[in-house]
């Protein structure tokens, strides 16, 4: 059974920084991509950053230059370093990964979400 567990959310003032972590655990054979999404109240879930196998990274325009995604392959963990935070970054942040478990086929997995609140 594969699980994604996020941590690192919280309350921060505008201009501050937070670092989110997402650890994948369970019977994992391989991980393709690991991504961060966010969803603010009343908004659709949006893709924030992606780390694709091979080291390719992509960012939403709204966070490019402020957020950095990184991955520790040995620990099946992805991080999101969020700098120069703005009130509009306030949302629940979700980890998403495409994982091949030791039994079964490739599948998409989601974490439970972690709240990030940026005060003005």
């Amino acid at each position: 059974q594969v699980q994604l567990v996020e941590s690192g959310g919280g309350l921060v003032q505008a201009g501050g920084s937070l670092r989110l972590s997402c650890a994948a655990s369970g019977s994992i054979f391989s991980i393709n991509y690991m991504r961060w999404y966010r969803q603010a109240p009343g908004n659709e879930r949006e893709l924030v950053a992606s780390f694709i196998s091979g080291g390719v990274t992509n960012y939403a325009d709204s966070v490019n230059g402020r957020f950095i995604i990184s991955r520790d392959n040995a620990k099946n963990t992805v991080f999101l370093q969020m700098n120069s935070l703005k009130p509009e970054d306030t949302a629940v942040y979700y980890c998403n990964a495409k994982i091949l478990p030791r039994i079964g086929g490739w599948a998409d997995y989601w974490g439970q979400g972690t709240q990030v609140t940026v005060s003005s």
Side-chain angles (χ1 to χ4, degrees):
Q1 184 175 350
V2 174
Q3 286 186 319
L4 298 180
V5 178
E6 301 111 332
S7 61
L11 173 64
V12 65
Q13 288 189 331
S17 298
L18 281 175
R19 189 186 193 219
L20 305 183
S21 300
C22 171
S25 63
S27 185
I28 297 171
F29 183 78
S30 182
I31 298 177
N32 185 338
Y33 57 72
M34 298 189 83
R35 294 173 171 169
W36 287 98
Y37 284 78
R38 67 186 181 187
Q39 187 168 20
N43 291 357
E44 293 186 355
R45 192 171 294 189
E46 65 168 340
L47 178 60
V48 175
S50 298
F51 194 111
I52 303 169
S53 180
V56 176
T57 58
N58 292 294
Y59 298 92
D61 289 343
S62 58
V63 307
N64 197 19
R66 299 187 297 122
F67 291 10
I68 300 171
I69 188 170
S70 60
R71 181 169 156 181
D72 184 335
N73 290 326
K75 296 181 179 180
N76 291 332
T77 299
V78 66
F79 305 95
L80 186 67
Q81 178 66 42
M82 305 185 294
N83 302 317
S84 302
L85 283 161
K86 304 175 182 180
E88 51 263 44
D89 294 318
T90 296
V92 178
Y93 284 70
Y94 296 92
C95 179
N96 164 249
K98 185 176 181 180
I99 295 174
L100 178 65
R102 295 192 181 277
I103 298 176
W106 288 99
D108 243 20
Y109 294 84
W110 291 87
Q112 80 285 358
T114 185
Q115 177 71 46
V116 172
T117 303
V118 184
S119 63
S120 58

